[in-house]
PDB file of all heavy atoms in Angstrom:
ATOM      1  N   HIS A 123     -13.691  40.720  10.354  1.00 98.00           N
ATOM      2  CA  HIS A 123     -12.858  41.849  10.501  1.00 98.00           C
ATOM      3  C   HIS A 123     -11.723  41.730   9.458  1.00 98.00           C
ATOM      4  O   HIS A 123     -11.289  40.627   9.186  1.00 98.00           O
ATOM      5  CB  HIS A 123     -12.285  42.081  11.881  1.00 98.00           C
ATOM      6  CG  HIS A 123     -13.220  42.872  12.716  1.00 98.00           C
ATOM      7  ND1 HIS A 123     -14.270  42.249  13.365  1.00 98.00           N
ATOM      8  CD2 HIS A 123     -13.265  44.218  13.148  1.00 98.00           C
ATOM      9  CE1 HIS A 123     -14.956  43.152  13.984  1.00 98.00           C
ATOM     10  NE2 HIS A 123     -14.323  44.357  13.961  1.00 98.00           N
ATOM     11  N   PRO A 124     -11.175  42.885   8.943  1.00 98.00           N
ATOM     12  CA  PRO A 124     -10.122  42.828   8.053  1.00 98.00           C
ATOM     13  C   PRO A 124      -8.813  42.491   8.642  1.00 98.00           C
ATOM     14  O   PRO A 124      -8.515  42.703   9.842  1.00 98.00           O
ATOM     15  CB  PRO A 124     -10.050  44.212   7.394  1.00 98.00           C
ATOM     16  CG  PRO A 124     -10.667  45.062   8.351  1.00 98.00           C
ATOM     17  CD  PRO A 124     -11.720  44.243   9.086  1.00 98.00           C
ATOM     18  N   THR A 125      -7.906  41.931   7.865  1.00 98.00           N
ATOM     19  CA  THR A 125      -6.538  41.569   8.296  1.00 98.00           C
ATOM     20  C   THR A 125      -5.829  42.732   8.930  1.00 98.00           C
ATOM     21  O   THR A 125      -5.156  42.517  10.015  1.00 98.00           O
ATOM     22  CB  THR A 125      -5.717  41.082   7.134  1.00 98.00           C
ATOM     23  OG1 THR A 125      -6.325  39.784   6.649  1.00 98.00           O
ATOM     24  CG2 THR A 125      -4.267  40.797   7.497  1.00 98.00           C
ATOM     25  N   PRO A 126      -5.784  43.954   8.460  1.00 98.00           N
ATOM     26  CA  PRO A 126      -5.078  44.968   9.083  1.00 98.00           C
ATOM     27  C   PRO A 126      -5.435  45.279  10.577  1.00 98.00           C
ATOM     28  O   PRO A 126      -4.706  45.647  11.465  1.00 98.00           O
ATOM     29  CB  PRO A 126      -5.245  46.208   8.235  1.00 98.00           C
ATOM     30  CG  PRO A 126      -6.391  45.933   7.358  1.00 98.00           C
ATOM     31  CD  PRO A 126      -6.374  44.442   7.173  1.00 98.00           C
ATOM     32  N   LEU A 127      -6.765  44.956  10.883  1.00 98.00           N
ATOM     33  CA  LEU A 127      -7.266  45.252  12.253  1.00 98.00           C
ATOM     34  C   LEU A 127      -6.684  44.112  13.094  1.00 98.00           C
ATOM     35  O   LEU A 127      -6.444  44.360  14.398  1.00 98.00           O
ATOM     36  CB  LEU A 127      -8.765  45.254  12.238  1.00 98.00           C
ATOM     37  CG  LEU A 127      -9.268  46.061  13.464  1.00 98.00           C
ATOM     38  CD1 LEU A 127      -8.959  47.478  13.311  1.00 98.00           C
ATOM     39  CD2 LEU A 127     -10.739  45.817  13.764  1.00 98.00           C
ATOM     40  N   LEU A 128      -6.483  42.929  12.602  1.00 98.00           N
ATOM     41  CA  LEU A 128      -5.797  41.827  13.431  1.00 98.00           C
ATOM     42  C   LEU A 128      -4.450  42.369  13.735  1.00 98.00           C
ATOM     43  O   LEU A 128      -3.960  42.174  14.925  1.00 98.00           O
ATOM     44  CB  LEU A 128      -5.881  40.551  12.581  1.00 98.00           C
ATOM     45  CG  LEU A 128      -5.328  39.256  13.254  1.00 98.00           C
ATOM     46  CD1 LEU A 128      -3.804  39.146  13.162  1.00 98.00           C
ATOM     47  CD2 LEU A 128      -5.717  39.126  14.636  1.00 98.00           C
ATOM     48  N   THR A 242     -14.675  42.166   4.220  1.00 98.00           N
ATOM     49  CA  THR A 242     -14.680  42.549   5.679  1.00 98.00           C
ATOM     50  C   THR A 242     -14.533  44.058   5.850  1.00 98.00           C
ATOM     51  O   THR A 242     -14.610  44.476   7.086  1.00 98.00           O
ATOM     52  CB  THR A 242     -13.471  41.826   6.357  1.00 98.00           C
ATOM     53  OG1 THR A 242     -12.277  42.223   5.693  1.00 98.00           O
ATOM     54  CG2 THR A 242     -13.592  40.332   6.439  1.00 98.00           C
ATOM     55  N   LEU A 246     -15.110  49.822   8.214  1.00 98.00           N
ATOM     56  CA  LEU A 246     -13.962  50.597   8.427  1.00 98.00           C
ATOM     57  C   LEU A 246     -13.626  51.613   7.410  1.00 98.00           C
ATOM     58  O   LEU A 246     -13.276  52.767   7.678  1.00 98.00           O
ATOM     59  CB  LEU A 246     -12.675  49.744   8.833  1.00 98.00           C
ATOM     60  CG  LEU A 246     -12.724  49.030  10.193  1.00 98.00           C
ATOM     61  CD1 LEU A 246     -11.451  48.125  10.265  1.00 98.00           C
ATOM     62  CD2 LEU A 246     -12.780  49.937  11.292  1.00 98.00           C
ATOM     63  N   ASP A 307     -10.313  40.123   2.634  1.00 97.00           N
ATOM     64  CA  ASP A 307      -9.780  40.321   3.950  1.00 97.00           C
ATOM     65  C   ASP A 307      -9.269  41.695   4.205  1.00 97.00           C
ATOM     66  O   ASP A 307      -8.654  42.004   5.239  1.00 97.00           O
ATOM     67  CB  ASP A 307      -8.695  39.253   4.258  1.00 97.00           C
ATOM     68  CG  ASP A 307      -7.388  39.413   3.554  1.00 97.00           C
ATOM     69  OD1 ASP A 307      -7.516  39.713   2.393  1.00 97.00           O
ATOM     70  OD2 ASP A 307      -6.297  39.277   4.119  1.00 97.00           O
ATOM     71  N   GLY A 308      -9.514  42.588   3.240  1.00 97.00           N
ATOM     72  CA  GLY A 308      -9.288  43.998   3.453  1.00 97.00           C
ATOM     73  C   GLY A 308      -7.866  44.470   3.605  1.00 97.00           C
ATOM     74  O   GLY A 308      -7.560  45.472   4.217  1.00 97.00           O
TER      75      GLY A 308
END
Side-chain angles (χ1 to χ4, degrees):
H123 274 77
T125 292
L127 205 69
L128 183 277
T242 59
L246 289 179
D307 70 318

